[in-house]
Amino acid sequence: MAETAIFLGAGASKAEGAPLQGELFWEYFTSPAFRKSRAAMDREPAQFFDEMFSIDVKRRDLQKDAFPTFEEVLGLTDLAIMRKEAFRHFDIENRVKHSGRLRFIAQYLVFLVAKVLDAKLGNRATIHRKLARNLRDADRLRDTVFVSTNYDILIDNALTEEYRHVDLDYGVDFRNFDWDNDWERPRAGRNVQLFKPHGSLNWLFCPTCNELEITPKEKGVVTRLISEYADKKCGECETVFSPLIVPPPFSKDLNNVFLSSIWNRTDVALRKVKHIVFCGYSFPDADIHIKYLLKRAQTNRTGPLKVTVVNNHRGKDPDLAKLERQRYERFLGTAVDYTTLSFTEFATDPVALL
Ligand SMILES: [Zn+2]
Protein backbone atom coordinates (compact mmCIF):
# COMPACT_ATOMS: atom_id res chain seq x y z
CA MET A 1 0.00 0.00 0.00
CA ALA A 2 1.25 3.41 -0.86
CA GLU A 3 2.79 5.33 2.02
CA THR A 4 3.35 8.59 0.19
CA ALA A 5 1.38 10.70 -2.24
CA ILE A 6 3.17 13.03 -4.61
CA PHE A 7 0.75 15.69 -5.73
CA LEU A 8 1.69 17.46 -8.96
CA GLY A 9 0.30 20.90 -9.73
CA ALA A 10 0.80 23.34 -12.60
CA GLY A 11 4.20 24.47 -11.25
CA ALA A 12 5.66 20.99 -11.85
CA SER A 13 4.82 21.22 -15.56
CA LYS A 14 5.97 24.82 -15.72
CA ALA A 15 9.39 23.71 -14.44
CA GLU A 16 9.65 21.61 -17.64
CA GLY A 17 8.75 24.60 -19.83
CA ALA A 18 4.97 24.26 -20.08
CA PRO A 19 3.21 27.60 -20.61
CA LEU A 20 1.07 28.86 -17.75
CA GLN A 21 -2.69 28.72 -18.19
CA GLY A 22 -2.92 32.31 -19.39
CA GLU A 23 -0.11 31.89 -21.92
CA LEU A 24 -1.49 28.81 -23.61
CA PHE A 25 -3.67 30.58 -26.15
CA TRP A 26 -1.08 33.22 -26.88
CA GLU A 27 1.48 30.48 -27.60
CA TYR A 28 -0.89 28.84 -29.97
CA PHE A 29 -2.19 31.80 -31.94
CA THR A 30 1.30 33.20 -32.47
CA SER A 31 2.66 29.84 -33.68
CA PRO A 32 3.52 29.27 -37.36
CA ALA A 33 1.33 26.13 -37.29
CA PHE A 34 -1.74 28.26 -36.57
CA ARG A 35 -0.77 31.07 -38.94
CA LYS A 36 -0.76 28.77 -41.93
CA SER A 37 -3.70 26.56 -40.97
CA ARG A 38 -7.05 26.70 -42.77
CA ALA A 39 -8.64 23.91 -40.74
CA ALA A 40 -11.96 24.39 -38.95
CA MET A 41 -10.23 23.25 -35.79
CA ASP A 42 -8.16 26.45 -35.97
CA ARG A 43 -10.56 28.89 -37.61
CA GLU A 44 -13.42 28.23 -35.21
CA PRO A 45 -11.54 29.01 -31.97
CA ALA A 46 -10.12 32.11 -33.70
CA GLN A 47 -13.63 33.35 -34.36
CA PHE A 48 -14.70 32.48 -30.86
CA PHE A 49 -11.95 34.68 -29.39
CA ASP A 50 -12.85 37.46 -31.77
CA GLU A 51 -16.54 37.47 -30.87
CA MET A 52 -16.36 36.58 -27.19
CA PHE A 53 -13.22 38.46 -26.12
CA SER A 54 -12.67 40.95 -28.96
CA ILE A 55 -9.25 39.49 -29.64
CA ASP A 56 -8.26 39.38 -33.29
CA VAL A 57 -5.82 36.50 -33.09
CA LYS A 58 -4.49 37.15 -36.58
CA ARG A 59 -2.83 40.37 -35.43
CA ARG A 60 0.95 40.32 -35.25
CA ASP A 61 1.22 42.26 -31.97
CA LEU A 62 -0.77 39.95 -29.73
CA GLN A 63 -0.16 40.47 -26.02
CA LYS A 64 0.39 37.49 -23.76
CA ASP A 65 -1.76 38.84 -20.98
CA ALA A 66 -4.69 39.70 -23.24
CA PHE A 67 -5.95 36.13 -23.21
CA PRO A 68 -8.29 34.48 -20.75
CA THR A 69 -7.07 31.25 -19.21
CA PHE A 70 -7.87 27.81 -20.60
CA GLU A 71 -9.97 27.11 -17.49
CA GLU A 72 -11.98 30.29 -17.96
CA VAL A 73 -12.78 29.58 -21.60
CA LEU A 74 -13.53 25.91 -21.09
CA GLY A 75 -15.57 26.95 -18.06
CA LEU A 76 -17.76 29.12 -20.29
CA THR A 77 -18.37 26.49 -22.93
CA ASP A 78 -18.93 23.69 -20.42
CA LEU A 79 -21.31 25.71 -18.24
CA ALA A 80 -23.37 26.75 -21.26
CA ILE A 81 -23.56 23.16 -22.49
CA MET A 82 -24.49 21.95 -19.02
CA ARG A 83 -27.22 24.61 -18.68
CA LYS A 84 -28.40 24.06 -22.27
CA GLU A 85 -27.88 27.74 -23.05
CA ALA A 86 -26.10 29.38 -25.96
CA PHE A 87 -23.92 32.39 -26.70
CA ARG A 88 -24.73 34.64 -29.62
CA HIS A 89 -23.50 32.93 -32.81
CA PHE A 90 -22.36 29.96 -30.76
CA ASP A 91 -25.35 27.75 -30.20
CA ILE A 92 -25.87 24.36 -28.69
CA GLU A 93 -27.91 21.64 -30.42
CA ASN A 94 -31.18 22.76 -31.94
CA ARG A 95 -33.09 22.16 -35.16
CA VAL A 96 -30.95 24.50 -37.25
CA LYS A 97 -28.63 22.88 -39.74
CA HIS A 98 -24.99 22.85 -38.54
CA SER A 99 -26.05 23.57 -34.97
CA GLY A 100 -23.96 22.54 -31.99
CA ARG A 101 -21.16 24.96 -32.74
CA LEU A 102 -20.41 25.51 -29.06
CA ARG A 103 -19.76 21.84 -28.46
CA PHE A 104 -17.30 21.81 -31.34
CA ILE A 105 -15.52 24.85 -29.92
CA ALA A 106 -15.22 23.18 -26.52
CA GLN A 107 -13.47 20.19 -28.08
CA TYR A 108 -11.32 22.22 -30.46
CA LEU A 109 -10.02 24.16 -27.46
CA VAL A 110 -8.86 20.98 -25.79
CA PHE A 111 -7.07 19.80 -28.93
CA LEU A 112 -5.53 23.24 -29.25
CA VAL A 113 -4.06 22.94 -25.76
CA ALA A 114 -2.75 19.46 -26.55
CA LYS A 115 -1.06 20.87 -29.66
CA VAL A 116 0.59 23.68 -27.68
CA LEU A 117 1.86 21.29 -25.03
CA ASP A 118 3.14 18.89 -27.66
CA ALA A 119 5.04 21.69 -29.40
CA LYS A 120 6.43 23.17 -26.18
CA LEU A 121 7.25 20.01 -24.26
CA GLY A 122 7.63 17.28 -26.87
CA ASN A 123 8.89 14.31 -24.95
CA ARG A 124 11.03 16.23 -22.49
CA ALA A 125 9.92 15.59 -18.91
CA THR A 126 13.54 15.83 -17.65
CA ILE A 127 12.68 16.59 -14.02
CA HIS A 128 9.76 14.15 -13.88
CA ARG A 129 12.06 11.44 -15.23
CA LYS A 130 14.67 12.25 -12.64
CA LEU A 131 12.05 11.95 -9.92
CA ALA A 132 10.78 8.62 -11.27
CA ARG A 133 14.33 7.27 -11.64
CA ASN A 134 15.40 8.25 -8.14
CA LEU A 135 12.28 6.77 -6.59
CA ARG A 136 12.78 3.58 -8.57
CA ASP A 137 16.45 3.30 -7.53
CA ALA A 138 15.46 3.69 -3.88
CA ASP A 139 12.70 1.11 -4.40
CA ARG A 140 10.11 3.67 -3.36
CA LEU A 141 8.14 3.89 -6.58
CA ARG A 142 5.51 1.34 -5.65
CA ASP A 143 5.07 2.95 -2.22
CA THR A 144 4.06 6.14 -3.96
CA VAL A 145 0.75 7.25 -5.39
CA PHE A 146 0.87 10.12 -7.83
CA VAL A 147 -1.98 12.60 -8.09
CA SER A 148 -1.78 15.14 -10.90
CA THR A 149 -4.09 18.03 -11.62
CA ASN A 150 -2.28 18.58 -14.92
CA TYR A 151 -3.66 17.44 -18.26
CA ASP A 152 -0.24 16.92 -19.83
CA ILE A 153 1.46 13.53 -19.83
CA LEU A 154 4.87 14.39 -18.35
CA ILE A 155 4.60 12.15 -15.31
CA ASP A 156 2.81 9.43 -17.28
CA ASN A 157 5.67 9.11 -19.72
CA ALA A 158 8.34 9.51 -17.05
CA LEU A 159 6.86 6.60 -15.07
CA THR A 160 6.31 4.23 -18.00
CA GLU A 161 9.70 4.98 -19.46
CA GLU A 162 11.77 4.78 -16.32
CA TYR A 163 10.20 1.67 -14.99
CA ARG A 164 9.08 -0.67 -17.72
CA HIS A 165 8.14 -3.51 -15.41
CA VAL A 166 5.42 -1.46 -13.89
CA ASP A 167 1.82 -1.10 -14.99
CA LEU A 168 0.45 2.39 -14.78
CA ASP A 169 -2.81 2.36 -12.84
CA TYR A 170 -4.93 5.37 -13.72
CA GLY A 171 -7.83 4.13 -11.62
CA VAL A 172 -9.95 3.34 -14.70
CA ASP A 173 -10.10 0.58 -17.29
CA PHE A 174 -9.17 1.20 -20.88
CA ARG A 175 -10.36 -0.82 -23.83
CA ASN A 176 -6.69 -1.31 -24.74
CA PHE A 177 -6.35 -3.81 -21.88
CA ASP A 178 -8.15 -6.40 -24.01
CA TRP A 179 -5.81 -5.96 -26.96
CA ASP A 180 -2.55 -7.77 -27.63
CA ASN A 181 0.73 -5.87 -27.37
CA ASP A 182 -0.94 -2.85 -25.90
CA TRP A 183 -1.46 -1.39 -22.42
CA GLU A 184 -1.66 -4.02 -19.71
CA ARG A 185 -4.36 -4.13 -17.07
CA PRO A 186 -2.52 -3.15 -13.88
CA ARG A 187 -1.35 -6.31 -12.10
CA ALA A 188 -1.29 -6.48 -8.30
CA GLY A 189 2.20 -5.99 -6.93
CA ARG A 190 3.55 -4.28 -10.01
CA ASN A 191 1.30 -1.30 -10.46
CA VAL A 192 2.03 2.35 -9.80
CA GLN A 193 -1.00 4.52 -9.18
CA LEU A 194 -1.37 7.75 -11.10
CA PHE A 195 -4.66 9.54 -10.56
CA LYS A 196 -5.66 12.49 -12.74
CA PRO A 197 -8.99 13.75 -11.45
CA HIS A 198 -9.32 16.47 -14.11
CA GLY A 199 -8.67 14.09 -17.00
CA SER A 200 -5.71 13.58 -19.27
CA LEU A 201 -4.68 14.54 -22.79
CA ASN A 202 -3.90 10.95 -23.78
CA TRP A 203 -7.38 9.59 -23.16
CA LEU A 204 -10.06 9.20 -25.83
CA PHE A 205 -13.62 8.83 -24.73
CA CYS A 206 -16.36 7.20 -26.82
CA PRO A 207 -19.67 8.61 -25.54
CA THR A 208 -21.62 5.96 -27.45
CA CYS A 209 -19.82 2.90 -26.13
CA ASN A 210 -19.09 4.69 -22.85
CA GLU A 211 -15.56 3.34 -22.98
CA LEU A 212 -12.12 4.87 -22.74
CA GLU A 213 -9.19 4.30 -24.99
CA ILE A 214 -5.66 5.44 -24.23
CA THR A 215 -3.36 6.57 -27.04
CA PRO A 216 -1.01 3.77 -28.09
CA LYS A 217 2.44 3.39 -26.63
CA GLU A 218 5.28 4.28 -28.92
CA LYS A 219 8.26 1.89 -28.90
CA GLY A 220 6.48 0.16 -26.04
CA VAL A 221 7.01 3.00 -23.61
CA VAL A 222 5.62 6.45 -24.13
CA THR A 223 2.12 7.50 -24.91
CA ARG A 224 1.12 10.36 -27.23
CA LEU A 225 -1.15 13.36 -26.85
CA ILE A 226 -4.62 13.31 -28.39
CA SER A 227 -3.74 16.14 -30.78
CA GLU A 228 -2.53 13.46 -33.19
CA TYR A 229 -5.85 11.66 -32.99
CA ALA A 230 -8.24 14.58 -33.47
CA ASP A 231 -10.35 12.83 -36.12
CA LYS A 232 -10.03 9.34 -34.74
CA LYS A 233 -13.23 7.33 -34.63
CA CYS A 234 -14.21 4.59 -32.27
CA GLY A 235 -13.33 1.23 -33.83
CA GLU A 236 -16.60 -0.31 -32.70
CA CYS A 237 -19.27 2.31 -33.39
CA GLU A 238 -17.53 4.95 -35.56
CA THR A 239 -18.36 7.79 -33.17
CA VAL A 240 -15.66 10.45 -33.20
CA PHE A 241 -13.80 10.28 -29.89
CA SER A 242 -14.11 13.13 -27.39
CA PRO A 243 -11.35 14.32 -25.11
CA LEU A 244 -11.90 13.77 -21.40
CA ILE A 245 -10.82 17.00 -19.73
CA VAL A 246 -12.81 18.75 -17.04
CA PRO A 247 -11.66 22.13 -15.74
CA PRO A 248 -11.33 22.33 -11.93
CA PRO A 249 -14.57 24.17 -11.06
CA PHE A 250 -16.67 21.40 -12.65
CA SER A 251 -14.70 18.41 -11.53
CA LYS A 252 -17.52 16.89 -9.61
CA ASP A 253 -20.49 18.24 -11.54
CA LEU A 254 -20.11 16.60 -14.88
CA ASN A 255 -20.62 13.14 -13.48
CA ASN A 256 -18.58 11.33 -16.05
CA VAL A 257 -18.43 7.78 -14.76
CA PHE A 258 -14.68 7.47 -15.36
CA LEU A 259 -13.79 10.69 -13.58
CA SER A 260 -16.06 9.69 -10.66
CA SER A 261 -14.18 6.45 -10.36
CA ILE A 262 -10.85 8.30 -10.36
CA TRP A 263 -12.13 10.67 -7.67
CA ASN A 264 -13.07 7.74 -5.48
CA ARG A 265 -9.73 6.03 -5.96
CA THR A 266 -7.92 9.30 -5.16
CA ASP A 267 -10.07 9.78 -2.07
CA VAL A 268 -9.28 6.30 -0.74
CA ALA A 269 -5.58 6.50 -1.60
CA LEU A 270 -5.08 9.88 0.05
CA ARG A 271 -6.77 8.72 3.23
CA LYS A 272 -4.34 5.80 3.49
CA VAL A 273 -1.02 7.52 2.84
CA LYS A 274 1.03 8.92 5.71
CA HIS A 275 2.63 11.75 3.82
CA ILE A 276 1.54 14.08 1.00
CA VAL A 277 4.19 16.05 -0.86
CA PHE A 278 2.80 18.91 -2.93
CA CYS A 279 4.96 19.79 -5.92
CA GLY A 280 4.27 22.96 -7.86
CA TYR A 281 0.83 23.36 -6.38
CA SER A 282 -0.13 26.82 -5.19
CA PHE A 283 -3.30 25.75 -3.34
CA PRO A 284 -5.59 28.03 -5.35
CA ASP A 285 -8.90 29.14 -3.86
CA ALA A 286 -10.87 27.83 -6.84
CA ASP A 287 -9.84 24.20 -6.31
CA ILE A 288 -12.52 23.48 -3.75
CA HIS A 289 -12.94 19.87 -4.85
CA ILE A 290 -9.26 19.18 -4.31
CA LYS A 291 -9.49 20.84 -0.92
CA TYR A 292 -12.46 18.66 -0.11
CA LEU A 293 -10.43 15.54 -0.91
CA LEU A 294 -7.52 16.79 1.18
CA LYS A 295 -9.65 17.62 4.20
CA ARG A 296 -11.20 14.18 4.03
CA ALA A 297 -7.74 12.66 3.77
CA GLN A 298 -6.62 14.62 6.79
CA THR A 299 -9.59 14.01 9.09
CA ASN A 300 -10.97 10.59 8.09
CA ARG A 301 -8.01 8.60 9.39
CA THR A 302 -6.48 7.22 12.54
CA GLY A 303 -2.79 8.24 12.38
CA PRO A 304 -1.50 11.73 11.56
CA LEU A 305 -0.97 13.01 8.03
CA LYS A 306 2.33 14.69 7.22
CA VAL A 307 2.16 17.49 4.64
CA THR A 308 5.16 18.91 2.79
CA VAL A 309 5.15 21.67 0.18
CA VAL A 310 7.76 21.91 -2.58
CA ASN A 311 6.98 24.96 -4.64
CA ASN A 312 9.96 27.28 -4.67
CA HIS A 313 11.78 28.45 -7.78
CA ARG A 314 14.48 30.98 -8.52
CA GLY A 315 13.18 34.54 -8.34
CA LYS A 316 9.92 33.62 -6.61
CA ASP A 317 8.24 36.67 -5.13
CA PRO A 318 8.54 36.36 -1.30
CA ASP A 319 5.15 38.02 -0.82
CA LEU A 320 3.47 35.46 -3.07
CA ALA A 321 5.25 32.66 -1.20
CA LYS A 322 4.03 34.08 2.10
CA LEU A 323 0.42 34.17 0.91
CA GLU A 324 0.72 30.68 -0.47
CA ARG A 325 2.07 29.39 2.82
CA GLN A 326 -0.84 31.06 4.61
CA ARG A 327 -3.32 29.35 2.27
CA TYR A 328 -1.81 25.96 3.10
CA GLU A 329 -1.62 26.63 6.82
CA ARG A 330 -5.08 28.04 7.29
CA PHE A 331 -6.60 25.03 5.58
CA LEU A 332 -4.34 22.16 6.62
CA GLY A 333 -2.88 23.52 9.85
CA THR A 334 0.41 25.05 10.91
CA ALA A 335 2.21 21.69 10.96
CA VAL A 336 2.54 21.95 7.16
CA ASP A 337 6.22 21.77 6.25
CA TYR A 338 6.55 24.62 3.75
CA THR A 339 10.05 24.01 2.37
CA THR A 340 12.31 26.24 0.27
CA LEU A 341 12.93 23.38 -2.15
CA SER A 342 12.25 23.61 -5.87
CA PHE A 343 10.71 20.73 -7.81
CA THR A 344 14.11 20.06 -9.43
CA GLU A 345 15.81 19.84 -6.04
CA PHE A 346 13.17 17.46 -4.75
CA ALA A 347 13.44 15.31 -7.91
CA THR A 348 17.22 15.11 -7.47
CA ASP A 349 16.91 13.64 -3.97
CA PRO A 350 13.32 12.74 -3.16
CA VAL A 351 14.24 10.18 -0.51
CA ALA A 352 15.82 12.84 1.72
CA LEU A 353 12.38 14.36 2.12
CA LEU A 354 10.42 11.14 2.36
ZN1 LIG B 1 -17.86 3.61 -29.64
Side-chain angles (χ1 to χ4, degrees):
M1 193 173 297
E3 299 263 305
T4 310
I6 294 183
F7 191 103
L8 299 164
S13 298
K14 187 177 180 280
E16 303 274 13
L20 284 175
Q21 294 299 341
E23 296 166 358
L24 273 167
F25 292 122
W26 179 85
E27 283 287 347
Y28 188 68
F29 290 118
T30 53
S31 71
F34 166 72
R35 297 274 176 190
K36 57 175 196 256
S37 170
R38 307 282 310 145
M41 187 172 287
D42 295 307
R43 283 200 316 268
E44 281 288 278
Q47 230 178 340
F48 184 76
F49 277 97
D50 193 3
E51 296 211 26
M52 298 289 291
F53 296 98
S54 306
I55 302 172
D56 176 4
V57 298
K58 289 178 210 77
R59 284 173 59 148
R60 297 273 152 192
D61 57 343
L62 281 176
Q63 300 299 308
K64 261 188 194 182
D65 54 4
F67 284 91
T69 66
F70 174 57
E71 262 91 24
E72 281 172 337
V73 181
L74 209 61
L76 290 180
T77 55
D78 284 4
L79 248 187
I81 291 166
M82 207 160 76
R83 293 175 57 84
K84 300 185 171 54
E85 293 165 347
F87 291 106
R88 195 172 186 180
H89 301 151
F90 296 94
D91 56 6
I92 54 169
E93 290 84 351
N94 55 31
R95 290 177 308 283
V96 183
K97 223 176 161 189
H98 306 303
S99 76
R101 196 178 180 196
L102 197 62
R103 208 178 274 277
F104 276 90
I105 296 275
Q107 298 203 0
Y108 288 154
L109 289 169
V110 175
F111 284 108
L112 183 157
V113 168
K115 281 196 263 185
V116 175
L117 292 175
D118 201 23
K120 287 293 276 188
L121 299 170
N123 189 17
R124 218 161 31 218
T126 318
I127 311 167
H128 289 74
R129 280 206 185 96
K130 193 183 275 183
L131 176 65
R133 195 160 51 234
N134 286 327
L135 288 171
R136 177 199 61 191
D137 291 348
D139 203 20
R140 297 296 295 268
L141 203 51
R142 272 174 289 175
D143 290 342
T144 309
V145 50
F146 294 84
V147 178
S148 175
T149 56
N150 301 321
Y151 316 116
D152 62 56
I153 51 172
L154 290 165
I155 188 64
D156 319 44
N157 281 343
L159 288 172
T160 38
E161 217 177 62
E162 291 301 335
Y163 206 12
R164 296 181 188 207
H165 303 297
V166 127
D167 301 325
L168 208 53
D169 179 4
Y170 281 109
V172 279
D173 269 9
F174 296 96
R175 196 185 256 168
N176 309 53
F177 293 162
D178 297 329
W179 300 340
D180 293 335
N181 302 318
D182 211 302
W183 289 82
E184 292 277 359
R185 180 171 276 111
R187 287 159 283 189
R190 53 185 293 173
N191 61 325
V192 171
Q193 297 172 320
L194 166 58
F195 299 139
K196 303 177 85 173
H198 298 318
S200 186
L201 287 171
N202 58 342
W203 301 346
L204 299 159
F205 173 58
C206 175
T208 309
C209 299
N210 210 4
E211 284 192 287
L212 270 188
E213 225 175 278
I214 181 165
T215 61
K217 284 188 188 178
E218 214 167 68
K219 294 178 198 137
V221 277
V222 283
T223 174
R224 304 292 305 159
L225 288 165
I226 52 168
S227 37
E228 294 175 34
Y229 303 89
D231 301 318
K232 190 172 155 69
K233 287 180 183 163
C234 170
E236 292 190 15
C237 73
E238 304 237 305
T239 301
V240 175
F241 281 117
S242 305
L244 190 58
I245 295 290
V246 183
F250 304 102
S251 309
K252 258 321 212 184
D253 305 333
L254 289 188
N255 283 327
N256 176 283
V257 63
F258 294 101
L259 293 179
S260 297
S261 156
I262 293 168
W263 273 97
N264 291 344
R265 293 282 306 273
T266 313
D267 187 30
V268 172
L270 289 181
R271 269 191 287 128
K272 290 182 178 166
V273 298
K274 298 188 172 122
H275 188 184
I276 302 182
V277 182
F278 289 95
C279 299
Y281 187 65
S282 64
F283 217 70
D285 290 332
D287 280 8
I288 188 60
H289 294 108
I290 295 288
K291 289 181 175 166
Y292 175 72
L293 280 185
L294 293 170
K295 199 36 106 180
R296 288 173 56 79
Q298 191 187 33
T299 55
N300 296 353
R301 62 168 55 232
T302 39
L305 172 68
K306 197 173 152 196
V307 176
T308 307
V309 182
V310 171
N311 197 21
N312 201 8
H313 58 82
R314 202 181 303 143
K316 181 160 177 162
D317 181 346
D319 290 335
L320 283 183
K322 199 175 150 196
L323 287 171
E324 185 177 282
R325 182 182 190 149
Q326 281 170 359
R327 281 199 298 278
Y328 270 101
E329 289 182 347
R330 78 173 182 230
F331 196 80
L332 293 173
T334 47
V336 168
D337 182 16
Y338 191 85
T339 70
T340 54
L341 291 172
S342 68
F343 182 46
T344 311
E345 286 164 335
F346 171 61
T348 306
D349 189 7
V351 180
L353 207 116
L354 305 176

